[in-house]
Amino acid sequence: MLITKTPKELLKSIKKKLTLIKAAGGLVENAKGEFLFIFRNKKWDLPKGKVEKGEKVKDTAVREVEEECGVKIEKREERLCKTYHIYELGGKVILKRTSWYKMFVKGSPKLIPQKEEGITTASWVAPLGIKVKMKNTYPLILDVLKAESLV
């Protein structure tokens, strides 16, 4: 844990020493007020992925949700929040910055999990069912849910 009076300055200095990967994802709501969750790497997660060269972050968010879950996004709102997490890959320390967007689909479409991305399940979860998913998810997903006042 890092404690500082100037968090923006500290983050800026840390970011200079790391490899930054930009990603984007979505908190998707259907017409029944349910939210889209995916199960990947033995954890409940939200669909997201890396920004491709020349791609706008907000377009990445929609593309990744559609690819990972087989749905058509009807509406994307402004950014909900940003999350950061650090991991090691090939001897490098990676800082992944994910921009999250609230999205909507028409109706309650059938979900098709993208197996080649390691997604074994995609499901619609009612607000009351989110608490169960929170027991087996990543801390940054809780931040996204908090940004939408779901937890």
Side-chain angles (χ1 to χ4, degrees), residues 7-147:
K8 286 185 180 182
E9 287 178 33
L10 177 62
L11 183 59
K12 199 181 261 188
S13 70
I14 292 172
K15 283 166 65 173
K16 287 179 185 175
K17 297 175 174 88
L18 306 174
T19 301
L20 178 66
I21 292 180
K22 294 178 185 175
L27 178 62
V28 184
E29 186 174 350
N30 69 19
K32 295 179 183 176
E34 299 167 322
F35 293 89
L36 174 56
F37 279 79
I38 61 172
F39 196 74
R40 173 173 34 200
N41 299 326
K42 300 178 183 171
K43 297 251 188 209
W44 286 105
D45 203 349
L46 298 173
K48 66 184 172 307
K50 294 177 188 166
V51 177
E52 293 179 356
K53 190 174 182 177
E55 188 176 34
K56 291 182 178 176
V57 174
K58 59 188 176 182
D59 295 334
T60 298
V62 171
R63 177 183 56 76
E64 286 291 339
V65 169
E66 291 181 343
E67 287 176 1
E68 291 188 351
C69 301
V71 295
K72 173 76 176 130
I73 298 300
E74 293 297 321
K75 181 183 173 194
R76 177 198 39 81
E77 292 184 346
E78 291 304 309
R79 188 174 60 220
L80 190 57
C81 66
K82 279 188 209 175
T83 59
Y84 295 86
H85 74 279
I86 296 173
Y87 59 95
E88 192 175 340
L89 183 66
K92 289 185 178 179
V93 180
I94 309 294
L95 173 63
K96 189 179 222 179
R97 182 186 75 205
T98 306
S99 294
W100 295 96
Y101 295 84
K102 176 77 183 283
M103 301 179 196
F104 298 89
V105 295
K106 280 188 178 176
S108 181
K110 181 182 180 211
L111 301 170
I112 304 165
Q114 191 179 24
K115 305 278 187 198
E116 56 270 24
E117 286 291 323
I119 303 167
T120 56
T121 306
S123 62
W124 294 111
V125 179
L128 291 175
I130 290 174
K131 207 170 205 169
V132 174
K133 304 296 185 219
M134 288 172 39
K135 294 176 183 174
N136 185 26
T137 191
Y138 302 99
L140 65 89
I141 299 303
L142 300 178
D143 292 338
V144 178
L145 298 172
K146 285 177 189 169

